[in-house]
Amino acid sequence: PWPYTQKFDYIHCRQNHRRVEEHGLFAQSLEFLNSGGWLEMQELCNPPTCDDGTLTEDNPLYKWGRLLVDASEKMNRPTDNPKKYEAWMKEAGFINCQTVVHRWPTNPWPENEEGKLMGQWNSYNVLQRFEQFSTALMAKALGWNPEDARVFLVAVREQLQNPDVHAYWPV
């Protein structure tokens, strides 16, 4: 439930799509915005993708991304919901909605310095808890043996860090 009683001019939400039910969040946000107020959502969308064919369907990173989406759907917290946000916001009554997608590289593969830095930080952040959250999702939602998940994740970790794979998360 919405914990506030006052209205806002601006509501910002980041990386909460697995913690909240988005339809309810959009409806409550609209109710608690002043006239002319704005809601901004910043969410990472799974699975990782690429634009140049370097992330192939047989790549463990590709398979892992699909498994995360499957697991999140089984847990009723789909990690690919952000691509639906614009339509859902309009359904809730928002107007002037737009989607802006930023590409967050999985590692420092981009040629430009800003992209390299983003990739470096993103790689660091993902790898900090990568094995724990992946193993938990795969075991709890998909029924994997935790040891089998950890073995599979060795190859995924390699591909997450492979600069020849130009993968990114849509954010």
Side-chain angles (χ1 to χ4, degrees), residues 32 106 129:
F32 283 91
T106 56
R129 304 233 17 236

Side-chain angles (χ1 to χ4, degrees), residues 7-151:
K7 290 196 173 211
F8 298 92
D9 292 323
Y10 174 72
I11 298 172
H12 170 83
C13 186
R14 180 184 307 166
Q15 287 301 104
N16 283 303
H17 62 274
R18 287 177 293 224
R19 293 182 186 96
V20 299
E21 194 283 313
E22 292 100 329
H23 288 95
L25 174 65
F26 298 151
Q28 288 182 337
S29 295
L30 186 62
E31 180 183 343
F32 283 91
L33 279 169
N34 289 317
S35 179
W38 289 84
L39 168 65
E40 178 182 30
M41 300 291 294
Q42 292 184 4
E43 300 292 342
L44 178 142
C45 189
N46 274 305
T49 190
C50 84
D51 297 331
D52 64 3
T54 57
L55 181 62
T56 58
E57 290 185 15
D58 63 335
N59 187 303
L61 176 58
Y62 179 89
K63 292 176 183 178
W64 171 75
R66 295 298 332 149
L67 288 169
L68 290 183
V69 171
D70 292 346
S72 69
E73 287 173 355
K74 287 187 178 200
M75 296 176 76
N76 204 25
R77 293 285 187 219
T79 59
D80 60 346
N81 276 352
K83 62 187 173 192
K84 304 170 189 169
Y85 283 1
E86 184 174 343
W88 290 354
M89 286 178 178
K90 288 177 182 176
E91 287 173 16
F94 283 93
I95 57 172
N96 194 22
C97 301
Q98 69 174 2
T99 299
V100 177
V101 178
H102 300 277
R103 291 170 173 84
W104 283 70
T106 56
N107 63 59
W109 63 260
E111 292 184 13
N112 65 53
E113 287 304 313
E114 181 181 6
K116 283 188 182 309
L117 186 59
M118 283 177 58
Q120 183 176 3
W121 280 109
N122 197 25
S123 177
Y124 175 80
N125 286 333
V126 169
L127 293 174
Q128 290 303 299
R129 304 233 17 236
F130 158 77
E131 186 174 320
Q132 292 87 353
F133 78 78
S134 297
T135 302
L137 279 172
M138 293 166 74
K140 289 178 183 175
L142 302 176
W144 282 49
N145 174 297
E147 187 55 35
D148 291 340
R150 283 190 281 276
V151 169

